Amino acid sequence: MQTAETIELMRIAGRVAAQAMEEAAKHIAPGVTTDELDRVAHEFMCDHGAYPSTLGYRGFPKSLCTSVNEVICHGIPDSTVLRDGDIVNLDVTAYLNGVHGDNNATYFCGDVDEESKLLVERTREALNRAIKAVRPGRQINVIGRVIESYAKRFGYGVVRDFTGHGINASFHSGLIIPHYDSPHATTVIQRGMTFTIEPMLTLGTYEHDMWDDGWTVVTKDRKRTAQFEHTLVVTETGAEILTLP
């Protein structure tokens, strides 16, 4: 459980992370490299007194993750050029005043096909529904149950091996938030808990392959995938989003 002071600091860090993500997203367009998006987010965080939490984290070399099309998560910005019709997830975490704020969203690059648009919109909706399900006294698995039951309506896969997590002064505090209905996620939600919810939905299988870089995770069938994330604090009646711009 976090103190009121820590939660207020997390609001500030979360706001910077959300604003940095928005700033980078403005530059998403055909012909732009993912390295350029990294540069924009990096400069924004540094200009606002924050450090990019991912930079150097377990050796990760960049200041945000850029996951394009079939990349589930942890894509490393590089010379990859965005193309018309791509979907691009930006995952930005800011470290400021001793705490982290972590968020991500999936954006359209140019003219995107209808199937991909629906996947992105429904993944955002899955996150929103999960946030609404958070209540003190409920078990953590209510979050995954809501996401999985919604995703199943459309035949989407729900990624299992990458989860939401506890966050505060630590980037990952040890608390695990599955996005499927896990019988093991029996921790009771309590007021003052801070954690992320970040569902990853796929057009096909939820199984994945890992690139040789040790970070980039792609769908095994190479079908597209989308993700959205917020950092939350549990209140008396539900959850407050800490990553709002």
Side-chain angles (χ1 to χ4, degrees), residues 1 42 68 78 140 148 151 176 186 190 194 208 217 241 243:
M1 300 332 109
H42 178 92
V68 183
D78 58 14
I140 288 289
E148 188 171 43
I176 302 295
T186 55
Q190 298 179 52
T194 49
H208 72 273
V217 179
I241 298 171
T243 38

Side-chain angles (χ1 to χ4, degrees), residues 145-161:
R145 189 176 311 133
V146 165
I147 292 167
E148 188 171 43
S149 63
Y150 179 69
K152 275 184 173 175
R153 286 166 47 179
F154 311 105
Y156 296 153
V158 181
V159 172
R160 291 171 169 242
D161 292 335

